[in-house]
Amino acid sequence: MAAAVARGCGGLWRRARQCGAGGPAPHGQRAVASSATGGAVSAGKSGLAPWVPVVGLEIHAQISSNSKLFSGSQVQFAAPPNSLVSFFDASLPGTLPVLNRRCVEAAVMTGLALNCSINKKSLFDRKHYFYADLPAGYQITQQRVPIAVNGSLSYSLCTGNKMSQMVTKTVRIKQIQLEQDSGKSLHDDTRSQTLVDLNRAGVGLMEVVMEPDMCCGEEAAAAVRELQLILQTLGSSQAVMADYEIQRQIEELENGGTILNETRAFDSKLGCTVPMRDKEGKQDYRFMPEPNLPPLIVYDAKSLPANMNHQQVVNIDWIHERLPDLPSVKREKLVEQYGILPEHSFTLLNEEGLTEFYENVVKQTQMKPKKVIGWILNDLLSYLKQHSLTVKESPVSSFLLADLLNLLEKKDISSTAAKQVLAELWKGEGKTPLEIVKEKKLELIQDQKELEQICQAVIDGQENEVMAIKAGNQKVLNKLIGLVQRETQGRSNPVLVKQLLEKKLSE
């Protein structure tokens, strides 16, 4: 199971000027955050303008690969401790790294998607630090010449109370580098001991380093979410990630404290970050070239030698040609194809599986896509969030929802009745929409004479409203329509009811 951690969020601070104060920090499933190198200006509650975070992120995304970065050990989530450890992972003397081609291709693919320049020659380095879960005493990374540099990531976020008030911003990508993960330390406080699981040691990571171009938690969250969607679209990482830390640092500064240069871990149970270790500087890491790995060479169509075996090299152009549509392109296509609002396309993509669900409903129903989107976002999504379910876990399939919307579109039921049917479908009892309609007697009244009698009875009982309508206040007509709907228990067509009421009131 691939995951990602975010480091370096909100470490450099300044007083607000034109930017405005930073909002609440985003949250999610899993993250590690460490303060960036910049420090902070003096704090205090002296009436000065609010603090504004300057945010740069380092995202460590686990590469989706069957084996580790430099060994053939399998990558598997929740495997028994120390069951997936090769001699190299355990740093036994005499073992050597063998580079995983899949990891290189994933890094190149990610670099291209983030508008980076791909270095045809990149280098590996050793980054030293001493922890029990790092048996070699160093991590193999790319500090001097990484595989990709100088990219950019565009992301959009809501700037007002309305979802339609969206702006697009860009954060610079400094570099993307390959590196290996460390193991995992498990602290047993009861026995006062620490256990080490090396299953994760050597798993391939991509470190995506963003410049400090963001100035609030919302921007950081939007950028991370867009990166997450890109990685998932590419298949280069499952990208389960989160971001939390800004509010803690604001409180620390306001109370007169300082922001330490440290690595912090996100505790999902406590809902906050906790310190892990001091953040070393470059001099502490004692970087040195990795002596057991040659330079990493990748090619394009022009530089690929004629006699080279294509199966043994990484071709940038070949990867570029096979890039899937990125989230930004998918959103544009959704807006163009279905006529939905741009903000609706963001919601469809942000919820995993929701785009496919929506398109399946559109294919199976006679209702126009613009109307379908309302049922998807306002009704189905509300149910899912209310019960903390994913789209895949929905008890209402796209087929059932399409069947229900077809009944509504054919005017067999009213929209009020349709919502009742959806509530019944949500129970997952295996009934079809039509079966529920018949069982609950929710069909629209087809007898126009019966409707006329009900409309007349409502008119006779609302003298003041009738006088107001005849005096020119047409808004009051909606009240009469609602009363007819109540009398018919939602089994009347509002359009037809309006026509009948208007006809009778004009007589």
Side-chain angles (χ1 to χ4, degrees):
M1 179 179 181
V5 295
R7 300 179 189 267
C9 50
L12 183 62
W13 293 82
R14 57 183 170 79
R15 284 291 187 183
R17 292 182 182 175
Q18 297 178 349
C19 240
H27 62 279
Q29 296 90 2
R30 175 173 180 246
V32 172
S34 68
S35 59
T37 58
V41 298
S42 59
K45 300 179 181 178
S46 56
L48 295 175
W51 294 100
V52 172
V54 179
V55 184
L57 295 175
E58 297 174 7
I59 306 294
H60 290 69
Q62 181 179 315
I63 299 171
S64 293
S65 173
N66 293 327
S67 56
K68 297 182 180 180
L69 183 58
F70 298 118
S71 79
S73 296
Q74 184 181 358
V75 175
Q76 180 184 333
F77 180 72
N82 295 310
S83 61
L84 305 174
V85 186
S86 70
F87 290 157
F88 176 78
D89 302 331
S91 299
L92 268 63
T95 56
L96 296 173
V98 178
L99 184 57
N100 182 338
R101 173 177 170 172
R102 158 62 189 163
C103 293
V104 176
E105 291 177 334
V108 170
M109 184 185 302
T110 303
L112 292 173
L114 295 177
N115 308 300
C116 292
S117 298
I118 306 299
N119 285 324
K120 293 179 183 176
K121 178 181 178 180
S122 58
L123 305 174
F124 288 99
D125 306 278
R126 289 185 178 182
K127 176 182 178 180
H128 294 79
Y129 52 95
F130 300 99
Y131 295 100
D133 53 20
L134 192 68
Y138 61 83
Q139 175 189 44
I140 301 178
T141 184
Q142 292 188 305
Q143 189 263 338
R144 293 171 295 161
V145 185
I147 195 167
V149 294
N150 301 330
S152 63
L153 171 66
S154 294
Y155 60 96
S156 297
L157 71 158
C158 181
T159 58
N161 294 328
K162 295 182 179 179
M163 188 66 178
S164 58
Q165 296 176 306
M166 300 189 74
V167 295
T168 299
K169 297 194 173 186
T170 301
V171 58
R172 292 169 295 158
I173 304 296
K174 180 180 180 182
Q175 65 191 57
I176 299 174
Q177 61 196 53
L178 286 166
E179 64 182 32
Q180 59 181 172
D181 203 351
S182 61
K184 183 178 181 181
S185 294
L186 305 170
H187 303 292
D188 186 348
D189 295 332
T190 303
R191 301 181 181 180
S192 300
Q193 62 182 3
T194 296
L195 306 176
V196 176
D197 179 7
L198 294 181
N199 280 349
R200 204 171 66 190
V203 168
L205 304 177
M206 290 180 292
E207 180 175 342
V208 181
V209 182
M210 299 181 184
E211 298 285 7
D213 295 338
M214 297 164 285
C215 67
C216 65
E218 287 86 351
E219 288 189 10
V224 168
R225 180 55 178 151
E226 187 69 10
L227 176 61
Q228 182 181 33
L229 288 173
I230 290 173
L231 295 176
Q232 291 170 342
T233 299
L234 298 174
S236 57
S237 174
Q238 291 181 21
V240 180
M241 63 177 69
D243 184 21
Y244 168 98
E245 174 69 358
I246 289 176
Q247 192 58 42
R248 184 197 70 83
Q249 292 191 16
I250 291 176
E251 293 173 0
E252 184 73 25
L253 290 169
E254 293 289 357
N255 290 327
T258 57
I259 304 302
L260 299 177
N261 201 13
E262 62 183 359
T263 296
R264 299 177 66 88
F266 182 78
D267 190 315
S268 58
K269 294 181 179 179
L270 297 177
C272 63
T273 60
V274 294
M276 287 178 63
R277 59 174 181 266
D278 292 341
K279 186 73 172 176
E280 300 89 342
K282 285 187 177 180
Q283 69 277 7
D284 300 310
Y285 285 132
R286 294 179 293 111
F287 284 105
M288 61 171 282
E290 169 54 59
N292 293 326
L293 284 168
L296 170 57
I297 307 296
V298 296
Y299 300 87
D300 58 18
K302 293 181 179 179
S303 62
L304 185 64
N307 60 347
M308 182 70 72
N309 185 339
H310 291 242
Q311 301 298 320
Q312 296 180 347
V313 300
V314 173
N315 188 324
I316 301 171
D317 291 335
W318 187 89
I319 294 175
H320 192 273
E321 291 170 1
R322 287 158 179 77
L323 284 178
D325 284 345
L326 297 178
S328 58
V329 177
K330 288 183 178 180
R331 286 190 284 262
E332 290 175 3
K333 288 186 175 181
L334 286 169
V335 171
E336 182 179 349
Q337 182 175 356
Y338 300 113
I340 62 177
L341 296 175
E343 53 266 29
H344 292 163
S345 69
F346 276 88
T347 306
L348 287 178
L349 259 69
N350 283 346
E351 299 293 332
E352 185 178 358
L354 193 59
T355 301
E356 292 78 9
F357 191 100
Y358 168 70
E359 292 186 314
N360 287 336
V361 173
V362 169
K363 290 175 185 177
Q364 299 171 77
T365 185
Q366 301 166 8
M367 183 177 284
K368 292 182 179 180
K370 282 186 177 181
K371 292 178 65 178
V372 173
I373 195 69
W375 283 89
I376 295 290
L377 302 187
N378 298 331
D379 296 278
L380 179 76
L381 200 55
S382 295
Y383 274 112
L384 292 174
K385 291 188 178 298
Q386 182 181 346
H387 294 86
S388 300
L389 296 176
T390 65
V391 175
K392 292 181 179 179
E393 296 170 331
S394 172
V396 180
S397 67
S398 60
F399 174 80
L400 286 175
L401 183 57
D403 199 10
L404 170 60
L405 297 184
N406 280 332
L407 292 175
L408 179 60
E409 193 66 12
K410 290 186 295 183
K411 295 183 172 55
D412 291 338
I413 58 175
S414 67
S415 59
T416 303
K419 293 183 184 297
Q420 290 180 253
V421 175
L422 182 59
E424 291 297 318
L425 288 173
W426 192 258
K427 296 177 181 179
E429 297 175 350
K431 299 175 184 177
T432 68
L434 185 57
E435 289 172 342
I436 295 172
V437 167
K438 290 181 177 180
E439 179 183 304
K440 301 290 183 180
K441 297 181 180 179
L442 297 173
E443 304 96 331
L444 282 177
I445 297 174
Q446 302 297 334
D447 189 341
Q448 188 165 325
K449 289 185 178 180
E450 182 182 352
L451 272 180
E452 288 179 353
Q453 291 174 356
I454 296 172
C455 288
Q456 188 62 55
V458 169
I459 289 173
D460 293 341
Q462 303 293 323
E463 294 182 7
N464 293 335
E465 285 73 8
V466 170
M467 291 176 59
I469 293 171
K470 290 186 176 182
N473 189 351
Q474 292 299 313
K475 291 182 179 180
V476 181
L477 183 63
N478 292 328
K479 180 180 178 181
L480 299 187
I481 295 173
L483 291 172
V484 174
Q485 285 284 78
R486 188 171 67 181
E487 287 295 321
T488 60
Q489 296 181 326
R491 296 177 58 228
S492 56
N493 184 340
V495 176
L496 178 57
V497 168
K498 182 180 179 182
Q499 293 173 352
L500 294 175
L501 288 171
E502 288 175 339
K503 180 181 177 181
K504 288 185 175 295
L505 290 170
S506 63
E507 292 175 354

